[in-house]
Amino acid sequence: MHRVEEREGVAEQASILAWALAVGALGSAPALAFRWAASALPDLVWPGAPDLVQAVARAPAALRIAVPTLGLLLAGLVLVAGERAGAGRGWDILEAVRLRDGVLPLRATLVRAASSLVTVASAGPVGREGAIVLLPAALGSALGRRARLPPRRLRLLVACGAAAGLACAYNTPLGAALFTMEIVFGTFSLEALAPLVVASATGTLLARHLFGPAPVFELPPLVLGSAGEVAAVALLGVLAGLGASAFLGALRAAGALWRRARLPRPASMALAGLAVGAAVLAYPEVVGNGREAIADLFRSPVAPSHALALLGLRLVLTPLAVGAGTVGGVFTPTLFLGAMLGSAFGAGVQALLPSAGADPRAWAVVGMGAFLAGTTHAPLTAVVMVFEMTLDYGVAVPLLVGAALAAVVATRLARASVYTEALSRAGAPPGPAAAGRDRVRDVMAAEHIAVPPDLPLPEVLSRLLAARRNHLYVADDAGRFLGAVSLHDATRIAGEAPDPSAFAAADVMNRRFEATFPDESLERVLDRFGRQSCERLPVLDGPRSRRLLGTASKRDILALYARALVAGPPAGPDGAAPGKA
């Protein structure tokens, strides 16, 4: 029987990898076609220069205002026409994976991609990567539904399509897989990693065959390594975290602004385009997703005041466009924000520390990674993505420091990331798939080790060692939880005290030890684990009676998240995912 189950498991994994390869290959075709069109069409609308920024800078003032305004108006009309034709409004990948059992409508996605293409051609201030990722994801969903795959497989195919699309957009095979794992699924799972890597690697190989193997941003070798520079990187990380939170706040505020205005979607988008047109009269670098401006910055650094002006304008223009309903990504605009912040910061460091001698472009690279980590709340993914886009190892360590600190600051200021904010409004928590649905009772172990408060310290140590636990709980005769004794504290006091037997459990216990309750969400429990250094938390029957019922293990909670990662939320009675009307 065991061998039969093992063979079935191997066959299932082989089937999943085959599907991932198919989605990666077939899904890359529309993604690469969109990438080519998104590169070619702006040259037709803005001719006469080697890149978009220079073309816009040379265009007449009337054209600079008219093209973004009319372009976003037309993009809005495309969306309205698609909805009236029965395509529906559509939704994004996170909603498809976490709320809709992997269903991502293909017709609605094609309409959204067409609208995005119009926006990109007219230099709207959003990223083209949104449609590049959506198209293969929707194709994967369509293939899986035609093959009548179960929701667990369907969600994974949508994620594989997203990974392939992101790899096609940026030539980042590992970063695309990690991004999908950490952002789309919300946690890591070995079961999903292999298919995602297969899909993203397939997309990368096809993209490199058509567009070449060069990284997105070509840079000379850069180095940031002195002690003073690393300390400055920490400050840059904090600033990037603050900036990322401001960006998320601007997205929220712009969405609220347009909702209060109650204008038709095309009209709102046209007004956002008008704001873009007015801005490019003085600052043509804010057109498009910002990729050309970043490349220009790496070729020739700009003045700090100019970089800060571009940073401020992008913080306004992109949220205005996204809030108005423009279809597009915020990934590359986030990189633009980080590059400008890093460039201005690097100029300030050079002014204060002339001996540092670091290339200003190195600070821009670190700024990109730190800002991306702040907006996504995913520092590892941000570091890998920026590294693969630049292939510059000289700033790897500062990049890690800046990204980690930016993520810490941003998560303290905003619970949701730039990607999970909309998902939260759709009815899902911003954490992993299991968060918010499962409760402590689902992982609670009834067994626990409790000692009376008057137990002598040597006996407490003996029980700690016998139980092979780092903590013992202290409870009174009625079973009420009083606190916890840690092995570290018990050992230290026993070694320092002349007579350890003079101490009892109540003397050495932590009376403020975190505890949880059976109906508490696992997401909340993970917050408690973040405040309390331990592997288990006591489970109490209530905040007043505090009777000890059992324990909740961090390992069990993470294991449940890993299983829920691919299995996803169960469908409701009518087949719809929970939280949907």
Side-chain angles (χ1 to χ4, degrees):
M1 179 64 71
H2 176 71
R3 291 182 178 180
V4 172
E5 292 176 351
E6 184 176 322
R7 286 197 297 269
E8 290 178 350
V10 172
E12 181 180 7
Q13 188 64 28
S15 173
I16 292 173
L17 293 178
W19 273 106
L21 180 62
V23 170
L26 297 175
S28 295
L32 294 172
F34 188 95
R35 176 178 169 179
W36 174 84
S39 299
L41 286 180
D43 292 339
L44 298 178
V45 178
W46 304 91
D51 66 45
L52 182 61
V53 173
Q54 295 182 39
V56 172
R58 297 176 184 178
L63 194 64
R64 295 192 215 179
I65 294 178
V67 170
T69 304
L70 297 177
L72 265 67
L73 173 64
L74 179 59
L77 293 173
V78 169
L79 292 173
V80 172
E83 291 173 19
R84 291 180 177 176
R89 188 154 188 153
W91 48 81
D92 63 17
I93 294 170
L94 265 71
E95 187 173 348
V97 170
R98 300 196 191 181
L99 293 180
R100 296 182 180 268
D101 285 338
V103 175
L104 192 59
L106 185 58
R107 287 181 61 191
T109 299
L110 291 174
V111 171
R112 287 161 64 85
S115 174
S116 178
L117 197 56
V118 174
T119 299
V120 170
S122 57
V126 293
R128 66 185 186 183
E129 71 278 354
I132 295 178
V133 173
L134 268 176
L135 286 168
L139 182 60
S141 177
L143 291 174
R145 281 181 283 141
R146 180 172 289 274
R148 299 184 181 277
L149 295 181
R152 175 175 61 88
R153 291 276 194 95
L154 199 56
R155 295 185 196 97
L156 190 55
L157 288 192
V158 170
C160 286
L166 196 61
C168 287
Y170 295 106
N171 282 354
T172 54
L174 181 57
L178 288 177
F179 182 94
T180 308
M181 181 80 74
E182 197 169 4
I183 304 300
V184 176
F185 280 137
T187 185
F188 289 93
S189 167
L190 292 178
E191 186 178 355
L193 179 61
L196 292 175
V197 169
V198 168
S200 65
T202 303
T204 302
L205 291 174
L206 292 174
R208 289 178 178 177
H209 177 73
L210 292 177
F211 297 102
V216 175
F217 302 112
E218 297 190 53
L219 299 171
L222 302 174
V223 177
L224 275 175
S226 69
E229 289 169 344
V230 173
V233 164
L235 178 57
L236 177 57
V238 172
L239 293 176
L242 295 173
S245 300
F247 184 50
L248 181 56
L251 288 169
R252 289 199 200 102
L257 172 68
W258 292 120
R259 285 193 296 271
R260 286 196 299 269
R262 296 184 178 180
L263 295 173
R265 191 174 187 179
S268 298
M269 292 171 60
L271 289 175
L274 180 61
V276 174
V280 300
L281 291 175
Y283 297 94
E285 296 92 338
V286 296
V287 297
N289 60 8
R291 180 174 176 174
E292 291 83 0
I294 298 172
D296 290 343
L297 176 69
F298 287 143
R299 285 191 289 266
S300 177
V302 299
S305 58
H306 193 74
L308 290 176
L310 295 176
L311 173 67
L313 283 172
R314 178 68 68 173
L315 279 173
V316 173
L317 295 176
T318 295
L320 272 180
V322 172
T326 306
V327 177
V330 296
F331 189 96
T332 307
T334 298
L335 297 179
F336 177 96
L337 290 167
M340 296 306 158
L341 175 65
S343 177
F345 183 86
V349 171
Q350 279 195 325
L352 294 175
L353 302 171
S355 60
D359 193 314
R361 292 171 291 187
W363 294 102
V365 173
V366 175
M368 287 165 56
F371 215 101
L372 184 60
T375 56
T376 62
H377 295 182
L380 178 60
T381 294
V383 169
V384 173
M385 287 290 292
V386 171
F387 172 72
E388 287 191 301
M389 282 189 285
T390 60
L391 296 182
D392 184 5
Y393 191 77
V395 294
V397 173
L399 189 58
L400 283 167
V401 174
L405 288 173
V408 168
V409 172
T411 52
R412 291 293 184 272
L413 297 176
R415 181 167 174 253
S417 72
V418 71
Y419 293 103
T420 58
E421 173 72 17
L423 186 67
S424 299
R425 292 196 298 268
R437 186 181 74 251
D438 293 300
R439 303 289 166 177
V440 170
R441 64 172 66 91
D442 299 316
V443 297
M444 184 183 75
E447 59 179 5
H448 60 82
I449 303 175
V451 298
D454 58 353
L455 189 71
L457 180 57
E459 183 63 24
V460 172
L461 269 174
S462 297
R463 294 200 187 185
L464 276 166
L465 295 174
R468 296 184 179 180
R469 295 280 179 89
N470 289 322
H471 293 89
L472 283 183
Y473 304 140
V474 181
D476 60 17
D477 294 338
R480 287 171 51 89
F481 176 72
L482 302 177
V485 179
S486 74
L487 177 61
H488 177 270
D489 290 343
T491 303
R492 177 179 55 81
I493 295 174
E496 295 174 353
D499 182 12
S501 61
F503 290 86
D507 299 322
V508 298
M509 71 179 180
N510 179 0
R511 299 177 184 273
R512 296 184 178 181
F513 197 84
E514 291 282 342
T516 184
F517 310 99
D519 59 348
E520 195 166 41
S521 71
L522 298 186
E523 187 179 13
R524 178 72 179 275
V525 176
L526 286 181
D527 289 338
R528 294 188 184 278
F529 274 115
R531 295 192 295 266
Q532 185 71 63
S533 178
C534 63
E535 289 301 317
R536 295 174 180 270
L537 285 180
V539 180
L540 313 181
D541 64 344
R544 292 187 178 181
S545 57
R546 297 182 64 83
R547 188 168 61 88
L548 190 58
L549 300 178
T551 62
S553 166
K554 183 194 300 184
R555 183 175 63 180
D556 291 342
I557 294 174
L558 295 179
L560 179 64
Y561 277 15
R563 291 193 299 270
L565 175 69
V566 178
D574 59 351
K580 306 309 293 177

